[in-house]
C-alpha cells in the first residue's frame, strides 16, 4: 500500500477520533437531561395560549433530545394532558431539528456562526411547522 | 487539529464525568440510569460511525477535482433536494454525520445544503408507521411534508445569511 493510499484510509480515522471526546460529552449530557430534567416540571410552562404554547413547545423540544420515539411518547402524553396541538407539534419538530445540546460538536465542525444561525432558524421553523401543520390539519378534518 | 483544541475537548469530557461523579453522590439511581442511557447511545452509534468511515474513505478515492466539480455542478435547489433526500434516509444521531458533512463542505458543499441535510434528518421515513401509530397517518404525512419543504427554506436562508461571511471550518 502506497503512503498516499494509506493516508486515504487513515485520514477519516483521525477525523472521527478527534470528534469522539466532544461527541461523548454530548451523549453524557443527553443522559443527564433525560434522567434529571422532568417533563412534569417543564409542562408547567404551558398556558393554553396557542402563541406561547408553540414557543414553549419548541423550547422544550430543543432542550430534550434523543430517539424520536421518546418524543412521540411524550407528545402523546402532552396531548392527553390537555396541551394544544400547536405545543405538541412544535415540540415534535424542534426535537428533531434543533440541537442545543449538540451545539459544541456542531460548532467544532462548522463554526459557531453557522451553528448558532442554523439552530436559531430551526427553532423558528419548528414554530412555523406547528402553525402550518395545525392549520392544514384543521382544513383536512 | 491542534493539541490545544484536543486538550479543550478532553477537559470538557472530564468536566462532565466529574458532574456524573458529583451527581452519583446525590442520586446514585438516576445517575446510573443516565450513564446506562448514554452507554446505550454510544453502542448504537458505533455501526453508524463505521458506515460514515466507509463513506469518507470512498470519497477520498474519488479524485479531489472531480468530486469538487460534481458538487459545484449541482448547486442551488438541486443540491438542496439531493441533501434533503439523503437526510431523510440517513440513520443514527445527527452528530454522528458531522465529520462526513464537514469533509464534503471542504470539497464545495454549501453551508445551506449542510443545513438542509441536518433539518431533513428530522423526517424519519422508516419511522412513518410508528409516527402514524401515535398521531395518525394524515398528521404524519402533513408533518413530514412540511418539514421537507421547510428544509429548503432552511438551506436558502442559511446560504443567504452566511454569504460573504467566509468562516474557517
Amino acid at each position: 500500500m502506497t503512503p498516499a493510499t494509506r493516508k486515504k484510509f487513515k485520514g477519516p480515522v483521525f477525523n472521527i477520533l478527534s470528534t469522539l471526546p466532544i461527541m461523548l460529552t454530548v451523549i453524557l449530557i443527553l443522559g443527564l437531561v433525560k434522567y434529571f430534567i422532568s417533563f412534569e416540571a417543564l409542562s408547567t410552562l404551558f398556558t393554553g395560549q396557542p402563541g406561547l404554547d408553540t414557543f414553549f413547545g419548541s423550547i422544550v423540544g430543543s432542550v430534550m433530545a434523543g430517539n424520536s420515539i421518546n418524543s412521540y411518547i411524550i407528545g402523546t402524553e402532552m396531548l392527553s394532558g390537555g396541551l394544544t396541538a400547536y405545543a405538541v407539534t412544535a415540540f415534535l419538530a424542534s426535537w428533531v431539528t434543533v440541537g442545543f445540546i449538540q451545539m459544541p460538536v456542531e460548532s467544532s465542525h462548522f463554526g459557531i456562526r453557522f451553528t448558532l444561525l442554523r439552530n436559531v432558524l430551526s427553532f423558528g421553523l419548528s414554530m412555523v411547522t406547528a402553525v402550518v401543520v395545525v392549520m392544514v390539519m384543521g382544513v383536512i378534518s | 487539529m491542534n493539541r490545544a483544541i484536543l486538550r479543550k475537548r478532553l477537559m470538557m469530557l472530564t468536566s462532565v464525568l466529574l458532574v456524573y461523579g458529583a451527581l452519583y453522590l446525590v442520586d446514585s439511581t438516576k445517575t446510573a440510569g443516565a450513564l446506562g442511557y448514554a452507554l446505550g447511545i454510544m453502542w448504537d452509534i458505533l455501526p453508524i460511525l463505521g458506515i460514515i468511515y466507509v463513506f469518507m474513505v470512498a470519497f477520498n478515492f474519488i479524485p479531489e477535482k472531480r468530486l469538487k466539480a460534481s458538487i459545484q455542478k449541482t448547486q442551488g435547489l438541486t443540491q438542496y433536494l439531493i441533501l434533503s433526500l439523503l437526510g431523510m434516509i440517513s440513520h443514527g444521531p445527527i452528530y454522528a454525520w458531522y465529520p462526513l458533512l464537514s469533509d464534503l463542505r471542504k470539497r464545495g458543499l454549501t453551508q445551506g445544503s449542510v443545513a438542509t441535510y441536518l433539518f431533513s434528518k428530522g423526517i424519519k421515513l422508516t419511522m412513518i408507521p410508528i409516527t402514524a401509530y401515535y398521531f395518525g397517518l394524515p398528521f404524519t404525512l402533513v408533518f413530514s411534508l412540511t418539514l421537507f419543504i421547510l428544509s429548503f427554506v432552511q438551506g436558502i436562508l442559511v446560504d443567504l445569511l452566511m454569504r460573504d461571511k467566509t468562516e474557517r471550518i
Side-chain angles (χ1 to χ4, degrees):
Chain A
M1 196 186 283
T2 65
T5 313
R6 207 175 299 140
K7 199 179 164 193
K8 284 175 179 154
F9 281 98
K10 269 188 171 178
V13 173
F14 179 74
N15 195 339
I16 291 171
L17 282 181
S18 65
T19 311
L20 275 184
I22 202 151
M23 206 183 272
L24 293 178
T25 306
V26 167
I27 292 169
L28 286 166
I29 293 172
L30 284 176
L32 291 179
V33 169
K34 184 174 166 62
Y35 278 83
F36 285 90
I37 297 181
S38 75
F39 171 69
E40 287 72 26
L42 292 171
S43 64
T44 55
L45 293 167
F46 299 97
T47 56
Q49 200 186 346
L52 280 175
D53 275 8
T54 307
F55 178 74
F56 285 122
S58 288
I59 294 264
V60 176
S62 304
V63 175
M64 300 177 82
N67 196 308
S68 308
I69 296 174
N70 295 333
S71 73
Y72 303 155
I73 296 166
I74 298 172
T76 317
E77 280 176 26
M78 286 166 89
L79 278 175
S80 57
L83 264 60
T84 61
Y86 288 103
V88 177
T89 313
F91 166 78
L92 293 174
S94 63
W95 181 290
V96 287
T97 58
V98 186
F100 285 155
I101 294 170
Q102 294 100 305
M103 279 175 77
V105 197
E106 190 172 335
S107 65
S108 73
H109 283 283
F110 306 110
I112 190 74
R113 192 196 301 272
F114 171 87
T115 306
L116 280 175
L117 178 66
R118 192 194 77 76
N119 281 285
V120 168
L121 283 175
S122 295
F123 182 83
L125 290 175
S126 70
M127 291 195 284
V128 174
T129 305
V131 174
V132 171
V133 171
V134 174
M135 281 171 72
V136 173
M137 288 305 292
V139 172
I140 291 173
S141 55
Chain B
M1 185 176 59
N2 65 45
R3 280 172 183 234
I5 295 173
L6 186 63
R7 200 179 305 128
K8 202 173 145 191
R9 290 181 182 181
L10 287 171
M11 273 174 69
M12 280 176 74
L13 179 60
T14 312
S15 311
V16 176
L17 288 171
L18 287 172
V19 170
Y20 263 82
L23 286 172
Y24 189 80
L25 299 173
V26 179
D27 191 333
S28 58
T29 316
K30 274 189 180 177
T31 312
L35 188 63
Y37 177 75
L39 289 174
I41 296 178
M42 287 172 207
W43 183 251
D44 290 343
I45 283 175
L46 285 178
I48 308 287
L49 289 178
I51 293 167
I52 287 161
Y53 172 73
V54 171
F55 272 122
M56 289 173 88
V57 170
F59 283 129
N60 276 346
F61 277 92
I62 303 171
E64 186 89 10
K65 276 186 181 174
R66 208 167 130 189
L67 186 63
K68 270 188 177 170
S70 8
I71 289 174
Q72 279 156 7
K73 206 160 61 182
T74 53
Q75 290 289 331
L77 286 178
T78 318
Q79 200 175 87
Y80 296 147
L81 177 67
I82 294 169
L83 268 292
S84 187
L85 293 172
L86 286 174
M88 281 158 65
I89 57 170
S90 69
H91 285 276
I94 201 165
Y95 42 85
W97 292 88
Y98 292 154
L100 176 64
L101 286 170
S102 67
D103 203 31
L104 289 173
R105 169 87 190 93
K106 286 168 192 156
R107 294 163 198 237
L109 198 69
T110 68
Q111 298 187 84
S113 297
V114 173
T116 300
Y117 176 92
L118 297 175
F119 194 88
S120 68
K121 257 189 82 64
I123 308 160
K124 313 277 182 196
L125 284 185
T126 50
M127 300 276 274
I128 280 182
I130 300 166
T131 320
Y133 169 78
Y134 280 102
F135 302 103
L137 190 60
F139 175 88
T140 306
L141 294 177
V142 173
F143 183 71
S144 302
L145 187 65
T146 308
L147 286 182
F148 177 69
I149 295 165
L150 289 178
S151 72
F152 285 72
V153 176
Q154 167 91 306
I156 293 165
L157 286 174
V158 167
D159 269 339
L160 271 175
L161 295 167
M162 293 295 288
R163 202 166 51 186
D164 304 325
K165 288 183 176 66
T166 42
E167 187 171 29
R168 209 181 131 263
I169 52 169

